[in-house]
């Protein structure tokens, strides 16, 4: 069931993610190291972080600080990390994957990149809103609207 | 309780350990295996001590994560029948800030036939999610294509640096309930998603999918699967995805369950005059002030005017006390979104004597989102309206027309269903590719598991009258098959005991089979021994008879099966 992942593959992904946040890098490396149909080419190319989306959410008070438990503004680096992660999780490999055919049936590997990602947004009153999104754009829209009451 | 196993996998090598975490009498359902894809010491294997919480007996953070994850999987597995095991490869890893988790199907299949006795694909040239294809084929399609046994049907990643509530009882307080989030994400992987790019309208590899077979555009009367799979069809699908309130699920099971789950009372604005803009439109409701009611609040609409100052640069943003209180008093104030809190705008209008407030969106888009915030001193209703409607009202007011409107709820229409009673799917303009359509509409009330917003008031139940998730799974082909023979059951099953009672739909919208599985689950989980299990079932079914939910004959069938269960 499980297959070994060549060290070089993970290393390539890490190199490709060199400019990304640590969390995003770990996330994508984890995806790459997971067994399954994800292609090396796709993983190694890494996600492209949209700086316009980063700018859209950076500075918003939507993040709960693990150390203090307080809601605070999300930093630029955290915003970049967030967008990178969601992009990696929702981006499908470029081009049409090939369908295998057996006895008239067809199979397609649609990749380890998930379609749907759940994100959270902390509100000024300490409550948390949770949303299922399918793209970095959608995530940024949801997160940038916070705090709802000041927009 | 469904049969459930946990696999531990290292990051690169299968450890091979198989642990039975939940032991219960065998029952109908599907085996869902959680493949623990974490390396030792992290994620599911995090050794950090943890006190048992909310019925989760794990003693480390890793154990609790795995138990909660498996519990969520078991809730699905209890209700979905398959003779092919379902594999979910899961891991807790550091994800980006504010990212909680993700999931999706790994393989899709079409044009497959079934093993003897199994139906295969119901629709030709239609992609099916892996686990559903396996169920209908009666065999592991991955192995048919030469893959290894146990290859994942669903891949899931969750955040190891987010503080989830790990209890199983739903008492999550202000925390985010991991069980609910996993239920939602597994729902997508099991079939609650199309494979359409809603921005371009293109299908996966030019072919439709099982979800699109039930996605109906009520403006054209066309199901998405019927739209031709070429460039012209893609344009039609892309245009369709933008039709707010018009994209519905037309599967029979969901449609039958809708009246039992959703409540009457669609929030809306009705513009009575002038005729040029008369009509009703959807509104975003406020989290503060009184809830919208029926007959609602009616009145003439006036612009709320305030100084353009440091509080707000516009004379219509209501960020400062209004300057036209005499005009606003006793009327509905129209103000613009932007710069300051919604509660400030509404409070300023209230202080000027407004009876209600319309906040016109400052960006294009439909449907309008809600109004967030908290202010217990606000006593008038307020809503957000679309930018386009706000502009139309302003134009009429500028032309010295009288604009009259009502805001309230339409008690003739279910919140989350269209006038024909079909459950609405989430459609927005602009589109949210992947999220649009592959969720129920967020106007639904009660709140549903498969809305894009995962609300804090959700239960863990997947059946009516609590939810419409299982009903959609039934529509796409997860038919009831308690004896796993590949043929849809005419009668209902309790555990592995097949009754002679038809599987009818009950007055609460659930089927008898649904309820039997819930009774089985609840009684198996809490029983110390067989006697206690039988007693629990008797108590539950006696209560169901007393409430008129089931008949005496149906009760007898359940209780006889319970007595035979070992």
């Amino acid at each position: 069931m499980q297959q070994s992942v060549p060290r070089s593959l993970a290393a390539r992904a890490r190199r490709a993610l060199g400019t990304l946040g640590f969390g995003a890098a770990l996330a994508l490396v984890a995806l790459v190291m997971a067994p399954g149909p994800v292609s090396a080419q796709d993983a190694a190319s890494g996600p492209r972080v949209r700086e316009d989306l980063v700018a859209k959410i950076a500075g918003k008070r939507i993040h709960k600080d693990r150390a203090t438990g307080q809601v605070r503004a999300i930093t630029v680096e955290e915003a970049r990390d967030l967008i990178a992660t969601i992009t990696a999780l929702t981006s499908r490999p470029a081009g049409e994957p090939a369908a295998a055919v057996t006895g008239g049936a067809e199979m397609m590997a649609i990749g380890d990149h998930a379609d749907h990602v759940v994100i959270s947004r902390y509100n000024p009153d300490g409550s948390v809103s949770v949303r299922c999104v399918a793209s970095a754009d959608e995530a940024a829209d949801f997160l940038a609207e916070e705090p709802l009451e000041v927009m | 309780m469904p049969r459930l196993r946990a696999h531990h996998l290292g990051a690169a090598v299968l450890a091979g350990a198989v642990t039975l975490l939940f032991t219960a009498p065998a029952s109908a359902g599907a085996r869902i295996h959680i493949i623990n894809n974490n390396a030792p010491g992290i994620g599911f294997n995090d050794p950090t001590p943890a006190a048992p919480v909310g019925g989760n007996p794990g003693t480390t953070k890793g154990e609790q994560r795995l138990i909660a994850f498996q519990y969520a999987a078991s809730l699905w597995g209890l209700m979905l029948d398959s003779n092919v095991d379902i594999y979910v490869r899961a891991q807790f890893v550091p994800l980006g800030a504010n990212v909680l988790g993700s999931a999706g199907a790994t393989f899709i299949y079409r044009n497959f036939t079934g093993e003897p006795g199994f139906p295969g694909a119901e629709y030709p040239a239609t992609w099916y999610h892996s686990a559903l294809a396996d169920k209908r084929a009666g065999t592991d399609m991955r192995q048919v294509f030469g893959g290894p046994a146990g290859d994942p049907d669903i891949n899931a990643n969750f955040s190891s640096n987010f503080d989830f509530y790990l209890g199983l009882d739903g008492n999550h307080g202000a925390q985010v309930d991991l069980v609910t989030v996993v239920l939602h994400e597994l729902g997508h992987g099991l079939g609650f998603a199309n494979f359409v790019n809603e921005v371009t309208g293109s299908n996966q590899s030019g072919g439709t999918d099982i979800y699109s077979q039930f996605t109906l555009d009520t403006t054209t009367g066309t199901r998405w699967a019927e739209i031709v799979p070429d460039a012209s069809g893609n344009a039609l699908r892309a245009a369709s995805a933008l039709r707010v309130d018009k994209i519905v699920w037309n599967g029979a099971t969901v449609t039958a369950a809708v009246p039992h789950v959703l409540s009457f009372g669609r929030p809306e604005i009705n513009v009575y005059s002038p005729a040029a803009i008369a009509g009703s439109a959807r509104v975003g409701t406020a989290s503060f002030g009184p809830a919208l009611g029926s007959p609602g609040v009616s009145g003439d609409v006036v612009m709320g005017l305030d100084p353009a100052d440091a509080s707000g640069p516009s004379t219509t943003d209501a960020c400062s006390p209004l300057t036209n209180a005499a005009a606003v008093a006793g009327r509905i104030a129209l103000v613009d979104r932007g710069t300051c809190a919604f509660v400030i705008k509404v409070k300023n209008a209230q202080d000027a004597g407004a009876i209600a407030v319309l906040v016109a969106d400052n960006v294009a888009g439909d449907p309008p989102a809600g109004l967030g915030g908290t202010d217990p001193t606000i006593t008038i209703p307020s809503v957000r309206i679309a930018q386009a409607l706000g502009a139309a009202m302003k134009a009429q007011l500028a032309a010295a027309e009288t604009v009259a409107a009502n805001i309230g709820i339409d008690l003739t229409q279910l919140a989350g269903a269209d006038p024909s009673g079909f459950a609405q799917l989430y459609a927005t303009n602009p589109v949210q590719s992947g999220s649009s359509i592959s969720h129920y509409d967020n106007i639904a009330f009660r709140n549903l598991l498969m809305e894009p917003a995962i609300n804090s008031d959700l239960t863990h139940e997947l059946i009516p009258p609590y939810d419409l998730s299982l009903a959609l799974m039934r529509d796409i082909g997860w038919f009831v098959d308690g004896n796993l023979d590949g043929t849809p059951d005419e009668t209902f099953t309790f555990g592995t005991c097949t009754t002679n009672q038809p599987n009818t739909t009950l007055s609460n919208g659930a089927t008898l089979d649904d309820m039997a599985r819930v009774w089985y689950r609840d009684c198996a989980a809490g029983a110390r021994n067989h006697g206690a299990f039988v007693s629990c079932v008797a108590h539950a079914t006696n209560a169901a008879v007393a409430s008129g939910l089931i008949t005496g004959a149906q009760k007898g069938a359940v209780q006889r099966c319970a007595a035979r269960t070992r």
Side-chain angles (χ1 to χ4, degrees), chain B residues 384-399:
Chain B
R384 191 190 311 200
I385 62 174
Q387 185 184 39
L389 177 58
M393 286 183 167
K394 291 174 200 173
Q396 295 297 323
L397 292 172

Side-chain angles (χ1 to χ4, degrees), chain A residues 84-101:
Chain A
T85 299
I86 295 174
T87 303
L89 290 171
T90 58
S91 299
R92 291 201 171 160
E96 287 287 339
V101 180

Side-chain angles (χ1 to χ4, degrees), chain B residues 159-375:
Chain B
S159 173
S160 60
N161 45 21
F162 186 82
D163 187 23
F164 285 105
Y165 177 72
L166 298 176
L168 312 181
D169 57 1
N171 294 321
H172 53 83
Q175 288 182 279
V176 175
D177 185 35
L178 177 63
V179 171
T180 300
V181 175
V182 174
L183 279 173
H184 180 105
E185 291 303 293
L186 292 184
H188 285 309
L190 291 165
F192 204 115
N194 65 26
F195 299 115
V196 176
N197 179 331
E198 281 86 6
V199 174
T200 64
S202 61
N203 287 322
Q204 178 72 53
S205 301
T208 192
D209 56 73
I210 185 61
Y211 191 91
S212 295
Q213 292 287 357
F214 300 92
T215 301
L216 174 69
D217 184 333
T218 59
T219 58
T220 62
T222 306
R223 292 181 293 112
W224 277 24
E226 297 174 315
I227 301 174
V228 292
D230 61 14
S232 64
N234 293 348
L236 293 175
R237 251 185 308 274
S240 177
L242 300 172
R243 296 190 178 118
V244 177
D245 291 337
K246 303 301 182 187
I247 311 303
V248 301
W249 185 263
N250 80 335
T253 313
V254 169
T255 305
V258 158
H260 301 282
V261 177
L262 301 179
S263 300
F264 283 99
R266 173 189 168 87
E268 63 184 23
I269 180 170
N270 269 289
V271 181
Y272 300 131
S273 65
I277 61 170
S280 64
R282 187 162 158 176
V283 296
T285 56
S287 62
F288 51 86
L292 296 180
S294 178
V297 176
S298 297
D300 290 348
V301 177
V302 298
M303 282 304 306
L305 302 175
D306 71 326
D309 57 18
S311 298
S314 161
T315 59
T316 57
D317 60 29
C319 293
S320 304
L322 302 192
T323 57
N324 63 335
V328 167
R331 296 185 174 85
I332 298 173
L334 172 62
V335 303
D336 283 325
R337 177 187 175 200
T339 307
C340 64
F342 293 128
V343 290
I344 293 174
K345 298 171 187 288
V346 175
K347 187 66 186 300
N348 282 331
Q350 175 177 294
D351 289 346
I355 58 174
V357 179
L358 309 176
V359 179
D361 214 336
N362 59 358
V363 294
D366 198 29
L371 302 176
T374 305
D375 185 343

Side-chain angles (χ1 to χ4, degrees), chain B residues 81-109:
Chain B
D81 298 320
S82 179
N83 73 331
V84 182
D85 293 0
I86 299 169
Y87 290 86
V88 179
R89 182 179 57 221
Q91 55 199 340
F92 273 74
V93 292
L95 298 175
N98 296 54
V99 179
L100 307 191
S102 67
T106 52
F107 296 93
I108 56 178
Y109 300 90

Side-chain angles (χ1 to χ4, degrees), chain A residues 1-4 23 26-27 30-31 33-37 62-63 66 74 78 81-82 85-86 89 92 96-97 100-102 104-112 114-122 125 128 130-132 134 138 141 145 148-151, chain B residues 7 10-12 14 35 37 89 93-103 105-111 142 145 150 155 157 161-162 174 176 184-185 188 193 195 204-205 337-342 369 372-373 384 426 432-435 439 452-454:
Chain A
M1 181 189 319
Q2 181 77 321
Q3 31 189 316
S4 296
L26 281 177
L31 285 172
M33 293 181 72
I62 57 173
H63 184 68
R66 289 191 81 193
I74 190 167
E78 287 168 338
D81 196 21
L82 186 159
T85 299
I86 295 174
L89 290 171
R92 291 201 171 160
E96 287 287 339
V101 180
T102 294
E106 292 181 69
M107 179 198 79
M108 183 170 291
I110 56 174
D112 280 352
D115 280 333
H116 294 94
V117 181
V118 176
I119 59 175
S120 66
R121 179 187 70 202
Y122 280 91
D125 62 2
V128 59
V130 180
R131 185 91 168 189
C132 181
E138 186 179 3
D141 284 347
E145 195 165 342
L148 287 167
E149 59 265 41
V150 302
M151 295 296 288
Chain B
H7 287 202
L14 171 66
I35 305 171
N37 203 44
R89 182 179 57 221
V93 292
L95 298 175
N98 296 54
V99 179
L100 307 191
S102 67
T106 52
F107 296 93
I108 56 178
Y109 300 90
R110 65 181 174 187
N111 296 329
R142 185 75 184 100
F145 280 84
N155 192 53
N157 297 277
N161 45 21
F162 186 82
V176 175
H184 180 105
E185 291 303 293
H188 285 309
F195 299 115
Q204 178 72 53
S205 301
R337 177 187 175 200
T339 307
C340 64
F342 293 128
R384 191 190 311 200
Y426 180 61
Q432 303 284 7
S433 186
S435 182
H439 288 104
I454 301 177

